[in-house]
Structure formats: structure tokens, C-alpha cells
Amino acid sequence: DAMVIQNPRYQVTQFGKPVTLSCSQTLNHNVMYWYQQKSSQAPKLLFHYYDKDFNNEADTPDNFQSRRPNTSFCFLDIRSPGLGDAAMYLCATSRGSGRPQHFGDGTRLSIL
Amino acid sequence: AQSVTQPDIHITVSEGASLELRCNYSYGATPYLFWYVQSPGQGLQLLLKYFSGDTLVQGIKGFEAEFKRSQSSFNLRKPSVHWSDAAEYFCAVGAWGSNYQLIWGAGTKLIIKP
């Protein structure tokens, strides 16, 4: 089945230690999104790629960066995680803007 | 401003009972509307969507939703819930601005009583 895969499912890192979360897709969708979701809250869009064009939300901290080396893969880099960055991180894809987004199962990030 | 309101933070229903989850939106144009479901520790799964046409939309898992333009609503319904429906449900509006993005409601947590 075509899908969105996030690795790892659970990630523990130390305060200030860089961490990378990964997302891959077999849907061949041209748009990929990264969301942050804290407990009992709606997802919050961090950024998205439309093809290779990177779009950063205005309130996404500078601490968060992303890479999309090819259509299938997208990475979320957190340069110096703080305690407030502990959350579920969700990757999603869509076939163009305005189309339904398909989500991975997320990576739960914990900060020690 | 564009917004989505889910008035119920949580709802408890008995297994086998009918369900309606409310969603109201504020958007200047004809909206794209979505309902997603999220089980604990999982990602979001699309239940159904409305883009245009028939205002009663059928989705997966026996869910349906009705778009009512006059009420700016897109309520989700199911005639008979199952224990496996216990989850968080999010309503979202697709909004076109400088970029397209989803405007999310705060979610409604559905609890099923045996």
C-alpha cells in the first residue's frame, strides 16, 4: 500500500542535542508537510515543500529546519531542542495544494 | 479571519448510539472541508472531504457529514458507534492565502461507554 512512513516512532534526545526526524512516502505526492502536535491540541504547521520550493510558517522557530533531497524523502532537523519542543511530529503529503493530506503515524519526541 | 470551531471538547456516547460532532467555520469563500480522526499515538486519517457538489458526503468507517452553507457548518455523523470509534476527531478548512494550508479545529475527543 502507498503510504507515508515516519522514523523513528519514538525519539529521545537530550536538551540542546541536535536531532533529525525522517519521513518517506510512496505516494509520489509533490507536497510534503511537517506539523508539530502537542498533547490534546490540533496539529500546527511548521513548514511545507511544494516540489522543491520551501515554505516556512512565520511563527516556526529558527531552531527548526527541513530538507527535502528528493520527492520521496523529507527531514526535520531540530538544531538545539528545548523542553518546549517535546511533541508529536507529523509528516503529511498531498498531490498539490488543496488536495487531502495523508499523514504518517508521527514521531513522538521526548527531551531529557 | 479564517477559523474552525469544534464546540465540544469531548463527547461521551454509548456503544450503538448515534453520534453527531459539530464543526463551524469562518471562511470568506466556498470552503474545502475535511474531517480527520486520530487514535491515541497515531497519525491522522482522513474520514471524508467536501469540495463541491452534493452537500451530504459519505466517508470511511460509516461516517457521513453534511455541509450547510447557511449555518457555516460541517457536522460529522454516524448512526451507530462502535468501541473502536473512540478517538480524537478534527475538523479542518482548506484556506487559500499566500499559501494553501489547513485551518484546524481544536478537536473533539469521543469516549464510548460500553
mmCIF file of all heavy atoms in Angstrom, chain A residues 9 33 35 37 40-43 45 48 55 57 88 90 97-106 108, chain B residues 32 34 36 38 40-46 49 51 88 90 94 96 98-102 104-107:
data_model
loop_
_atom_site.group_PDB
_atom_site.id
_atom_site.type_symbol
_atom_site.label_atom_id
_atom_site.label_comp_id
_atom_site.label_asym_id
_atom_site.label_seq_id
_atom_site.Cartn_x
_atom_site.Cartn_y
_atom_site.Cartn_z
ATOM 1 N N ARG A 9 9.533 6.027 15.423
ATOM 2 C CA ARG A 9 8.234 6.328 16.031
ATOM 3 C C ARG A 9 8.421 7.081 17.342
ATOM 4 O O ARG A 9 7.607 7.930 17.706
ATOM 5 C CB ARG A 9 7.447 5.045 16.294
ATOM 6 C CG ARG A 9 6.938 4.352 15.037
ATOM 7 C CD ARG A 9 5.902 5.180 14.274
ATOM 8 N NE ARG A 9 4.854 5.708 15.129
ATOM 9 C CZ ARG A 9 3.782 5.036 15.533
ATOM 10 N NH1 ARG A 9 3.619 3.780 15.174
ATOM 11 N NH2 ARG A 9 2.863 5.612 16.298
ATOM 12 N N TYR A 33 4.552 18.081 4.131
ATOM 13 C CA TYR A 33 4.328 18.989 5.249
ATOM 14 C C TYR A 33 4.951 18.414 6.523
ATOM 15 O O TYR A 33 4.955 17.201 6.721
ATOM 16 C CB TYR A 33 2.827 19.155 5.516
ATOM 17 C CG TYR A 33 1.965 19.532 4.340
ATOM 18 C CD1 TYR A 33 1.529 18.560 3.444
ATOM 19 C CD2 TYR A 33 1.542 20.838 4.157
ATOM 20 C CE1 TYR A 33 0.711 18.895 2.375
ATOM 21 C CE2 TYR A 33 0.712 21.181 3.094
ATOM 22 C CZ TYR A 33 0.308 20.208 2.201
ATOM 23 O OH TYR A 33 -0.511 20.548 1.147
ATOM 24 N N TYR A 35 4.252 18.953 10.651
ATOM 25 C CA TYR A 35 3.419 19.531 11.690
ATOM 26 C C TYR A 35 4.009 19.182 13.055
ATOM 27 O O TYR A 35 4.599 18.124 13.246
ATOM 28 C CB TYR A 35 2.003 18.943 11.657
ATOM 29 C CG TYR A 35 1.130 19.371 10.511
ATOM 30 C CD1 TYR A 35 1.122 18.664 9.306
ATOM 31 C CD2 TYR A 35 0.270 20.456 10.642
ATOM 32 C CE1 TYR A 35 0.283 19.050 8.266
ATOM 33 C CE2 TYR A 35 -0.573 20.837 9.615
ATOM 34 C CZ TYR A 35 -0.555 20.129 8.428
ATOM 35 O OH TYR A 35 -1.396 20.502 7.405
ATOM 36 N N GLN A 37 2.514 18.630 16.923
ATOM 37 C CA GLN A 37 1.256 18.467 17.663
ATOM 38 C C GLN A 37 1.568 18.200 19.126
ATOM 39 O O GLN A 37 2.211 17.200 19.454
ATOM 40 C CB GLN A 37 0.406 17.341 17.082
ATOM 41 C CG GLN A 37 -0.971 17.234 17.734
ATOM 42 C CD GLN A 37 -1.804 16.094 17.182
ATOM 43 O OE1 GLN A 37 -1.270 15.085 16.751
ATOM 44 N NE2 GLN A 37 -3.124 16.250 17.195
ATOM 45 N N SER A 40 -3.349 16.945 23.204
ATOM 46 C CA SER A 40 -4.720 17.459 23.180
ATOM 47 C C SER A 40 -4.860 18.761 22.396
ATOM 48 O O SER A 40 -5.743 19.571 22.683
ATOM 49 C CB SER A 40 -5.247 17.666 24.609
ATOM 50 O OG SER A 40 -5.253 16.453 25.306
ATOM 51 N N GLN A 41 -4.006 18.955 21.412
ATOM 52 C CA GLN A 41 -4.086 20.137 20.561
ATOM 53 C C GLN A 41 -4.153 19.726 19.096
ATOM 54 O O GLN A 41 -3.818 18.600 18.730
ATOM 55 C CB GLN A 41 -2.881 21.057 20.771
ATOM 56 C CG GLN A 41 -2.807 21.666 22.159
ATOM 57 C CD GLN A 41 -1.635 22.619 22.291
ATOM 58 O OE1 GLN A 41 -1.099 23.116 21.298
ATOM 59 N NE2 GLN A 41 -1.246 22.881 23.523
ATOM 60 N N ALA A 42 -4.586 20.652 18.275
ATOM 61 C CA ALA A 42 -4.582 20.421 16.841
ATOM 62 C C ALA A 42 -3.148 20.484 16.310
ATOM 63 O O ALA A 42 -2.274 21.098 16.929
ATOM 64 C CB ALA A 42 -5.440 21.470 16.140
ATOM 65 N N PRO A 43 -2.883 19.876 15.167
ATOM 66 C CA PRO A 43 -1.557 19.997 14.566
ATOM 67 C C PRO A 43 -1.264 21.444 14.191
ATOM 68 O O PRO A 43 -2.151 22.195 13.788
ATOM 69 C CB PRO A 43 -1.657 19.126 13.311
ATOM 70 C CG PRO A 43 -2.840 18.263 13.511
ATOM 71 C CD PRO A 43 -3.773 19.009 14.386
ATOM 72 N N LEU A 45 1.169 23.660 11.704
ATOM 73 C CA LEU A 45 2.052 23.564 10.537
ATOM 74 C C LEU A 45 3.358 24.299 10.804
ATOM 75 O O LEU A 45 3.359 25.461 11.217
ATOM 76 C CB LEU A 45 1.359 24.147 9.304
ATOM 77 C CG LEU A 45 2.123 24.052 7.989
ATOM 78 C CD1 LEU A 45 2.328 22.590 7.582
ATOM 79 C CD2 LEU A 45 1.379 24.810 6.890
ATOM 80 N N HIS A 48 6.286 23.571 4.754
ATOM 81 C CA HIS A 48 5.961 22.587 3.737
ATOM 82 C C HIS A 48 6.808 22.838 2.506
ATOM 83 O O HIS A 48 7.339 23.945 2.296
ATOM 84 C CB HIS A 48 4.471 22.577 3.402
ATOM 85 C CG HIS A 48 4.003 23.744 2.579
ATOM 86 N ND1 HIS A 48 3.674 24.966 3.117
ATOM 87 C CD2 HIS A 48 3.788 23.849 1.250
ATOM 88 C CE1 HIS A 48 3.269 25.771 2.159
ATOM 89 N NE2 HIS A 48 3.334 25.125 1.021
ATOM 90 N N ASN A 55 8.539 26.421 2.084
ATOM 91 C CA ASN A 55 7.666 27.456 2.634
ATOM 92 C C ASN A 55 7.641 27.327 4.148
ATOM 93 O O ASN A 55 7.156 26.330 4.689
ATOM 94 C CB ASN A 55 6.248 27.300 2.079
ATOM 95 C CG ASN A 55 6.203 27.488 0.582
ATOM 96 O OD1 ASN A 55 6.104 28.589 0.081
ATOM 97 N ND2 ASN A 55 6.300 26.380 -0.155
ATOM 98 N N GLU A 57 6.455 28.628 7.850
ATOM 99 C CA GLU A 57 5.435 29.422 8.528
ATOM 100 C C GLU A 57 6.117 30.524 9.338
ATOM 101 O O GLU A 57 7.221 30.348 9.866
ATOM 102 C CB GLU A 57 4.597 28.536 9.447
ATOM 103 C CG GLU A 57 3.747 27.520 8.705
ATOM 104 C CD GLU A 57 2.824 28.159 7.702
ATOM 105 O OE1 GLU A 57 1.977 28.973 8.111
ATOM 106 O OE2 GLU A 57 2.958 27.852 6.498
ATOM 107 N N MET A 88 4.572 15.509 19.415
ATOM 108 C CA MET A 88 4.449 14.582 18.296
ATOM 109 C C MET A 88 4.722 15.383 17.031
ATOM 110 O O MET A 88 4.178 16.481 16.867
ATOM 111 C CB MET A 88 3.041 13.989 18.256
ATOM 112 C CG MET A 88 2.771 13.110 17.044
ATOM 113 S SD MET A 88 3.493 11.487 17.206
ATOM 114 C CE MET A 88 2.112 10.619 17.959
ATOM 115 N N LEU A 90 4.391 15.278 12.982
ATOM 116 C CA LEU A 90 3.648 14.581 11.942
ATOM 117 C C LEU A 90 4.097 15.047 10.572
ATOM 118 O O LEU A 90 4.228 16.252 10.322
ATOM 119 C CB LEU A 90 2.147 14.852 12.086
ATOM 120 C CG LEU A 90 1.492 14.329 13.362
ATOM 121 C CD1 LEU A 90 0.132 14.976 13.563
ATOM 122 C CD2 LEU A 90 1.338 12.820 13.293
ATOM 123 N N SER A 97 -1.589 21.490 -3.806
ATOM 124 C CA SER A 97 -2.288 22.245 -2.768
ATOM 125 C C SER A 97 -3.785 22.034 -2.916
ATOM 126 O O SER A 97 -4.296 21.850 -4.015
ATOM 127 C CB SER A 97 -1.953 23.727 -2.883
ATOM 128 O OG SER A 97 -0.598 23.945 -2.597
ATOM 129 N N GLY A 98 -4.493 22.098 -1.812
ATOM 130 C CA GLY A 98 -5.940 21.966 -1.859
ATOM 131 C C GLY A 98 -6.429 20.530 -1.868
ATOM 132 O O GLY A 98 -7.622 20.287 -1.754
ATOM 133 N N ARG A 99 -5.524 19.606 -1.999
ATOM 134 C CA ARG A 99 -5.922 18.200 -2.016
ATOM 135 C C ARG A 99 -5.808 17.623 -0.609
ATOM 136 O O ARG A 99 -5.086 18.166 0.236
ATOM 137 C CB ARG A 99 -5.033 17.406 -2.982
ATOM 138 C CG ARG A 99 -4.971 17.984 -4.382
ATOM 139 C CD ARG A 99 -6.360 18.166 -4.989
ATOM 140 N NE ARG A 99 -7.069 16.908 -5.116
ATOM 141 C CZ ARG A 99 -8.350 16.803 -5.459
ATOM 142 N NH1 ARG A 99 -9.059 17.889 -5.695
ATOM 143 N NH2 ARG A 99 -8.917 15.623 -5.577
ATOM 144 N N PRO A 100 -6.506 16.518 -0.340
ATOM 145 C CA PRO A 100 -6.415 15.934 1.007
ATOM 146 C C PRO A 100 -4.985 15.577 1.370
ATOM 147 O O PRO A 100 -4.206 15.138 0.527
ATOM 148 C CB PRO A 100 -7.277 14.673 0.886
ATOM 149 C CG PRO A 100 -8.233 14.964 -0.214
ATOM 150 C CD PRO A 100 -7.479 15.816 -1.195
ATOM 151 N N GLN A 101 -4.671 15.764 2.634
ATOM 152 C CA GLN A 101 -3.339 15.438 3.127
ATOM 153 C C GLN A 101 -3.367 14.049 3.757
ATOM 154 O O GLN A 101 -4.301 13.673 4.460
ATOM 155 C CB GLN A 101 -2.899 16.486 4.154
ATOM 156 C CG GLN A 101 -2.718 17.859 3.518
ATOM 157 C CD GLN A 101 -2.253 18.911 4.491
ATOM 158 O OE1 GLN A 101 -1.752 18.601 5.571
ATOM 159 N NE2 GLN A 101 -2.390 20.176 4.110
ATOM 160 N N HIS A 102 -2.297 13.302 3.489
ATOM 161 C CA HIS A 102 -2.153 11.949 4.001
ATOM 162 C C HIS A 102 -1.028 11.960 5.030
ATOM 163 O O HIS A 102 0.081 12.387 4.730
ATOM 164 C CB HIS A 102 -1.834 10.984 2.855
ATOM 165 C CG HIS A 102 -2.921 10.926 1.826
ATOM 166 N ND1 HIS A 102 -3.855 9.924 1.799
ATOM 167 C CD2 HIS A 102 -3.229 11.763 0.816
ATOM 168 C CE1 HIS A 102 -4.700 10.152 0.793
ATOM 169 N NE2 HIS A 102 -4.335 11.249 0.180
ATOM 170 N N PHE A 103 -1.326 11.473 6.209
ATOM 171 C CA PHE A 103 -0.404 11.585 7.334
ATOM 172 C C PHE A 103 0.313 10.278 7.619
ATOM 173 O O PHE A 103 -0.247 9.182 7.458
ATOM 174 C CB PHE A 103 -1.172 12.000 8.595
ATOM 175 C CG PHE A 103 -1.572 13.444 8.605
ATOM 176 C CD1 PHE A 103 -2.688 13.871 7.912
ATOM 177 C CD2 PHE A 103 -0.816 14.371 9.302
ATOM 178 C CE1 PHE A 103 -3.063 15.209 7.915
ATOM 179 C CE2 PHE A 103 -1.174 15.710 9.321
ATOM 180 C CZ PHE A 103 -2.303 16.127 8.628
ATOM 181 N N GLY A 104 1.558 10.412 8.112
ATOM 182 C CA GLY A 104 2.247 9.299 8.726
ATOM 183 C C GLY A 104 1.785 9.130 10.160
ATOM 184 O O GLY A 104 0.956 9.906 10.657
ATOM 185 N N ASP A 105 2.330 8.121 10.828
ATOM 186 C CA ASP A 105 1.931 7.847 12.209
ATOM 187 C C ASP A 105 2.644 8.723 13.225
ATOM 188 O O ASP A 105 2.355 8.637 14.416
ATOM 189 C CB ASP A 105 2.186 6.372 12.542
ATOM 190 C CG ASP A 105 1.112 5.470 11.970
ATOM 191 O OD1 ASP A 105 -0.012 5.971 11.713
ATOM 192 O OD2 ASP A 105 1.386 4.278 11.755
ATOM 193 N N GLY A 106 3.586 9.546 12.764
ATOM 194 C CA GLY A 106 4.212 10.504 13.651
ATOM 195 C C GLY A 106 5.445 9.971 14.369
ATOM 196 O O GLY A 106 5.665 8.753 14.464
ATOM 197 N N ARG A 108 7.123 10.653 18.122
ATOM 198 C CA ARG A 108 6.978 11.318 19.416
ATOM 199 C C ARG A 108 8.367 11.632 19.941
ATOM 200 O O ARG A 108 9.166 10.725 20.165
ATOM 201 C CB ARG A 108 6.209 10.460 20.398
ATOM 202 C CG ARG A 108 6.028 11.173 21.738
ATOM 203 C CD ARG A 108 4.960 10.549 22.602
ATOM 204 N NE ARG A 108 3.629 10.628 22.041
ATOM 205 C CZ ARG A 108 2.877 11.711 22.043
ATOM 206 N NH1 ARG A 108 3.305 12.838 22.544
ATOM 207 N NH2 ARG A 108 1.662 11.658 21.526
ATOM 208 N N TYR B 32 -13.039 24.274 1.280
ATOM 209 C CA TYR B 32 -12.749 22.852 1.249
ATOM 210 C C TYR B 32 -12.833 22.402 2.716
ATOM 211 O O TYR B 32 -12.236 23.014 3.596
ATOM 212 C CB TYR B 32 -11.343 22.567 0.721
ATOM 213 C CG TYR B 32 -11.119 22.855 -0.742
ATOM 214 C CD1 TYR B 32 -9.851 22.745 -1.299
ATOM 215 C CD2 TYR B 32 -12.159 23.229 -1.585
ATOM 216 C CE1 TYR B 32 -9.618 22.994 -2.651
ATOM 217 C CE2 TYR B 32 -11.938 23.485 -2.934
ATOM 218 C CZ TYR B 32 -10.658 23.367 -3.457
ATOM 219 O OH TYR B 32 -10.435 23.623 -4.782
ATOM 220 N N PHE B 34 -12.804 19.173 5.682
ATOM 221 C CA PHE B 34 -12.269 17.847 5.954
ATOM 222 C C PHE B 34 -12.610 17.441 7.387
ATOM 223 O O PHE B 34 -12.684 18.276 8.292
ATOM 224 C CB PHE B 34 -10.739 17.827 5.819
ATOM 225 C CG PHE B 34 -10.221 18.332 4.497
ATOM 226 C CD1 PHE B 34 -9.983 19.686 4.300
ATOM 227 C CD2 PHE B 34 -9.958 17.453 3.467
ATOM 228 C CE1 PHE B 34 -9.498 20.156 3.094
ATOM 229 C CE2 PHE B 34 -9.469 17.920 2.249
ATOM 230 C CZ PHE B 34 -9.243 19.270 2.071
ATOM 231 N N TYR B 36 -10.862 14.586 10.020
ATOM 232 C CA TYR B 36 -9.809 13.613 10.256
ATOM 233 C C TYR B 36 -10.052 12.959 11.615
ATOM 234 O O TYR B 36 -10.596 13.578 12.532
ATOM 235 C CB TYR B 36 -8.435 14.281 10.293
ATOM 236 C CG TYR B 36 -7.866 14.659 8.941
ATOM 237 C CD1 TYR B 36 -8.197 15.879 8.349
ATOM 238 C CD2 TYR B 36 -7.002 13.817 8.255
ATOM 239 C CE1 TYR B 36 -7.664 16.235 7.109
ATOM 240 C CE2 TYR B 36 -6.469 14.157 7.023
ATOM 241 C CZ TYR B 36 -6.795 15.373 6.458
ATOM 242 O OH TYR B 36 -6.281 15.721 5.238
ATOM 243 N N GLN B 38 -7.994 10.718 14.757
ATOM 244 C CA GLN B 38 -6.673 10.374 15.293
ATOM 245 C C GLN B 38 -6.843 9.465 16.507
ATOM 246 O O GLN B 38 -7.381 9.888 17.533
ATOM 247 C CB GLN B 38 -5.909 11.642 15.691
ATOM 248 C CG GLN B 38 -4.472 11.371 16.120
ATOM 249 C CD GLN B 38 -3.714 12.650 16.411
ATOM 250 O OE1 GLN B 38 -4.274 13.636 16.886
ATOM 251 N NE2 GLN B 38 -2.415 12.655 16.122
ATOM 252 N N PRO B 40 -5.152 7.273 19.624
ATOM 253 C CA PRO B 40 -4.034 7.625 20.518
ATOM 254 C C PRO B 40 -2.696 7.152 19.968
ATOM 255 O O PRO B 40 -2.538 5.999 19.565
ATOM 256 C CB PRO B 40 -4.391 6.898 21.819
ATOM 257 C CG PRO B 40 -5.881 6.802 21.790
ATOM 258 C CD PRO B 40 -6.249 6.600 20.355
ATOM 259 N N GLY B 41 -1.734 8.076 19.935
ATOM 260 C CA GLY B 41 -0.390 7.742 19.491
ATOM 261 C C GLY B 41 -0.235 7.508 18.005
ATOM 262 O O GLY B 41 0.813 7.038 17.560
ATOM 263 N N GLN B 42 -1.264 7.845 17.245
ATOM 264 C CA GLN B 42 -1.233 7.615 15.802
ATOM 265 C C GLN B 42 -1.306 8.929 15.037
ATOM 266 O O GLN B 42 -1.545 9.998 15.610
ATOM 267 C CB GLN B 42 -2.424 6.739 15.395
ATOM 268 C CG GLN B 42 -2.498 5.401 16.090
ATOM 269 C CD GLN B 42 -1.360 4.479 15.727
ATOM 270 O OE1 GLN B 42 -0.990 4.362 14.557
ATOM 271 N NE2 GLN B 42 -0.782 3.831 16.722
ATOM 272 N N GLY B 43 -1.092 8.827 13.717
ATOM 273 C CA GLY B 43 -1.278 9.985 12.867
ATOM 274 C C GLY B 43 -2.755 10.221 12.584
ATOM 275 O O GLY B 43 -3.617 9.562 13.163
ATOM 276 N N LEU B 44 -3.026 11.162 11.700
ATOM 277 C CA LEU B 44 -4.409 11.495 11.374
ATOM 278 C C LEU B 44 -4.841 10.767 10.111
ATOM 279 O O LEU B 44 -4.082 10.689 9.144
ATOM 280 C CB LEU B 44 -4.557 12.996 11.161
ATOM 281 C CG LEU B 44 -4.431 13.829 12.423
ATOM 282 C CD1 LEU B 44 -3.029 14.352 12.590
ATOM 283 C CD2 LEU B 44 -5.419 14.987 12.397
ATOM 284 N N GLN B 45 -6.057 10.259 10.142
ATOM 285 C CA GLN B 45 -6.613 9.558 8.995
ATOM 286 C C GLN B 45 -7.784 10.354 8.448
ATOM 287 O O GLN B 45 -8.672 10.771 9.206
ATOM 288 C CB GLN B 45 -7.071 8.151 9.398
ATOM 289 C CG GLN B 45 -7.615 7.338 8.242
ATOM 290 C CD GLN B 45 -8.072 5.949 8.666
ATOM 291 O OE1 GLN B 45 -8.381 5.700 9.832
ATOM 292 N NE2 GLN B 45 -8.112 5.033 7.728
ATOM 293 N N LEU B 46 -7.813 10.559 7.154
ATOM 294 C CA LEU B 46 -8.900 11.294 6.527
ATOM 295 C C LEU B 46 -10.171 10.458 6.547
ATOM 296 O O LEU B 46 -10.193 9.327 6.053
ATOM 297 C CB LEU B 46 -8.537 11.639 5.094
ATOM 298 C CG LEU B 46 -9.581 12.404 4.281
ATOM 299 C CD1 LEU B 46 -9.769 13.818 4.842
ATOM 300 C CD2 LEU B 46 -9.187 12.456 2.810
ATOM 301 N N LYS B 49 -14.228 14.297 2.935
ATOM 302 C CA LYS B 49 -13.913 15.651 2.483
ATOM 303 C C LYS B 49 -15.079 16.191 1.675
ATOM 304 O O LYS B 49 -15.867 15.442 1.096
ATOM 305 C CB LYS B 49 -12.650 15.644 1.619
ATOM 306 C CG LYS B 49 -12.793 14.815 0.345
ATOM 307 C CD LYS B 49 -11.498 14.731 -0.399
ATOM 308 C CE LYS B 49 -11.638 13.957 -1.710
ATOM 309 N NZ LYS B 49 -11.920 12.524 -1.495
ATOM 310 N N PHE B 51 -15.580 19.192 -1.308
ATOM 311 C CA PHE B 51 -15.022 20.224 -2.179
ATOM 312 C C PHE B 51 -16.147 20.998 -2.868
ATOM 313 O O PHE B 51 -16.120 22.216 -2.944
ATOM 314 C CB PHE B 51 -14.095 19.616 -3.228
ATOM 315 C CG PHE B 51 -12.761 19.158 -2.686
ATOM 316 C CD1 PHE B 51 -11.923 18.370 -3.462
ATOM 317 C CD2 PHE B 51 -12.338 19.494 -1.417
ATOM 318 C CE1 PHE B 51 -10.688 17.948 -2.972
ATOM 319 C CE2 PHE B 51 -11.112 19.072 -0.912
ATOM 320 C CZ PHE B 51 -10.289 18.299 -1.697
ATOM 321 N N GLU B 88 -9.839 10.954 18.746
ATOM 322 C CA GLU B 88 -9.981 12.408 18.634
ATOM 323 C C GLU B 88 -10.346 12.723 17.189
ATOM 324 O O GLU B 88 -9.775 12.159 16.253
ATOM 325 C CB GLU B 88 -8.671 13.102 19.007
ATOM 326 C CG GLU B 88 -8.754 14.610 19.051
ATOM 327 C CD GLU B 88 -8.665 15.171 20.469
ATOM 328 O OE1 GLU B 88 -8.001 14.527 21.293
ATOM 329 O OE2 GLU B 88 -9.233 16.241 20.729
ATOM 330 N N PHE B 90 -10.906 15.713 14.297
ATOM 331 C CA PHE B 90 -10.557 17.079 13.930
ATOM 332 C C PHE B 90 -11.269 17.484 12.653
ATOM 333 O O PHE B 90 -11.244 16.754 11.656
ATOM 334 C CB PHE B 90 -9.046 17.219 13.709
ATOM 335 C CG PHE B 90 -8.219 17.090 14.948
ATOM 336 C CD1 PHE B 90 -7.662 15.869 15.305
ATOM 337 C CD2 PHE B 90 -7.995 18.186 15.770
ATOM 338 C CE1 PHE B 90 -6.885 15.745 16.444
ATOM 339 C CE2 PHE B 90 -7.227 18.067 16.912
ATOM 340 C CZ PHE B 90 -6.678 16.850 17.257
ATOM 341 N N GLY B 94 -9.731 24.032 4.332
ATOM 342 C CA GLY B 94 -8.627 24.357 3.451
ATOM 343 C C GLY B 94 -8.708 25.827 3.084
ATOM 344 O O GLY B 94 -9.714 26.267 2.518
ATOM 345 N N TRP B 96 -7.048 29.310 1.304
ATOM 346 C CA TRP B 96 -6.116 29.844 0.308
ATOM 347 C C TRP B 96 -5.719 31.257 0.724
ATOM 348 O O TRP B 96 -6.548 32.124 0.878
ATOM 349 C CB TRP B 96 -6.765 29.880 -1.064
ATOM 350 C CG TRP B 96 -7.053 28.522 -1.602
ATOM 351 C CD1 TRP B 96 -8.215 27.818 -1.470
ATOM 352 C CD2 TRP B 96 -6.160 27.677 -2.333
ATOM 353 N NE1 TRP B 96 -8.097 26.597 -2.082
ATOM 354 C CE2 TRP B 96 -6.863 26.482 -2.623
ATOM 355 C CE3 TRP B 96 -4.846 27.824 -2.774
ATOM 356 C CZ2 TRP B 96 -6.268 25.434 -3.329
ATOM 357 C CZ3 TRP B 96 -4.267 26.777 -3.479
ATOM 358 C CH2 TRP B 96 -4.977 25.601 -3.749
ATOM 359 N N SER B 98 -1.575 33.351 1.033
ATOM 360 C CA SER B 98 -0.295 33.389 0.329
ATOM 361 C C SER B 98 0.138 31.968 -0.010
ATOM 362 O O SER B 98 0.795 31.711 -1.011
ATOM 363 C CB SER B 98 0.759 34.088 1.185
ATOM 364 O OG SER B 98 0.837 33.483 2.458
ATOM 365 N N ASN B 99 -0.206 31.076 0.860
ATOM 366 C CA ASN B 99 -0.049 29.646 0.603
ATOM 367 C C ASN B 99 -1.342 28.952 1.017
ATOM 368 O O ASN B 99 -2.100 29.467 1.829
ATOM 369 C CB ASN B 99 1.111 29.067 1.418
ATOM 370 C CG ASN B 99 2.456 29.496 0.883
ATOM 371 O OD1 ASN B 99 2.765 29.270 -0.271
ATOM 372 N ND2 ASN B 99 3.243 30.124 1.733
ATOM 373 N N TYR B 100 -1.535 27.780 0.487
ATOM 374 C CA TYR B 100 -2.693 26.980 0.928
ATOM 375 C C TYR B 100 -2.326 26.287 2.229
ATOM 376 O O TYR B 100 -1.228 25.752 2.372
ATOM 377 C CB TYR B 100 -3.037 25.943 -0.131
ATOM 378 C CG TYR B 100 -4.084 24.954 0.319
ATOM 379 C CD1 TYR B 100 -5.434 25.244 0.193
ATOM 380 C CD2 TYR B 100 -3.723 23.730 0.882
ATOM 381 C CE1 TYR B 100 -6.400 24.341 0.609
ATOM 382 C CE2 TYR B 100 -4.673 22.830 1.291
ATOM 383 C CZ TYR B 100 -6.010 23.138 1.156
ATOM 384 O OH TYR B 100 -6.964 22.242 1.557
ATOM 385 N N GLN B 101 -3.239 26.283 3.206
ATOM 386 C CA GLN B 101 -2.999 25.493 4.400
ATOM 387 C C GLN B 101 -4.330 25.099 5.019
ATOM 388 O O GLN B 101 -5.385 25.653 4.703
ATOM 389 C CB GLN B 101 -2.154 26.245 5.421
ATOM 390 C CG GLN B 101 -2.786 27.470 6.027
ATOM 391 C CD GLN B 101 -1.926 27.971 7.178
ATOM 392 O OE1 GLN B 101 -1.910 27.401 8.265
ATOM 393 N NE2 GLN B 101 -1.202 29.040 6.936
ATOM 394 N N LEU B 102 -4.257 24.126 5.910
ATOM 395 C CA LEU B 102 -5.439 23.686 6.637
ATOM 396 C C LEU B 102 -5.561 24.500 7.924
ATOM 397 O O LEU B 102 -4.593 24.677 8.655
ATOM 398 C CB LEU B 102 -5.332 22.201 6.980
ATOM 399 C CG LEU B 102 -5.435 21.218 5.815
ATOM 400 C CD1 LEU B 102 -5.262 19.785 6.307
ATOM 401 C CD2 LEU B 102 -6.763 21.360 5.089
ATOM 402 N N TRP B 104 -7.286 24.264 11.415
ATOM 403 C CA TRP B 104 -7.794 23.140 12.195
ATOM 404 C C TRP B 104 -8.696 23.611 13.336
ATOM 405 O O TRP B 104 -8.442 24.641 13.962
ATOM 406 C CB TRP B 104 -6.630 22.363 12.816
ATOM 407 C CG TRP B 104 -5.737 21.703 11.830
ATOM 408 C CD1 TRP B 104 -4.654 22.248 11.213
ATOM 409 C CD2 TRP B 104 -5.836 20.355 11.354
ATOM 410 N NE1 TRP B 104 -4.076 21.328 10.371
ATOM 411 C CE2 TRP B 104 -4.765 20.159 10.440
ATOM 412 C CE3 TRP B 104 -6.692 19.299 11.601
ATOM 413 C CZ2 TRP B 104 -4.555 18.948 9.783
ATOM 414 C CZ3 TRP B 104 -6.487 18.088 10.945
ATOM 415 C CH2 TRP B 104 -5.434 17.921 10.045
ATOM 416 N N GLY B 105 -9.718 22.799 13.612
ATOM 417 C CA GLY B 105 -10.429 22.943 14.860
ATOM 418 C C GLY B 105 -9.604 22.351 15.994
ATOM 419 O O GLY B 105 -8.590 21.676 15.761
ATOM 420 N N ALA B 106 -10.049 22.591 17.221
ATOM 421 C CA ALA B 106 -9.301 22.146 18.398
ATOM 422 C C ALA B 106 -9.462 20.663 18.662
ATOM 423 O O ALA B 106 -8.738 20.097 19.481
ATOM 424 C CB ALA B 106 -9.722 22.945 19.623
ATOM 425 N N GLY B 107 -10.416 20.041 17.977
ATOM 426 C CA GLY B 107 -10.631 18.603 18.158
ATOM 427 C C GLY B 107 -11.718 18.301 19.165
ATOM 428 O O GLY B 107 -11.992 19.079 20.090
#
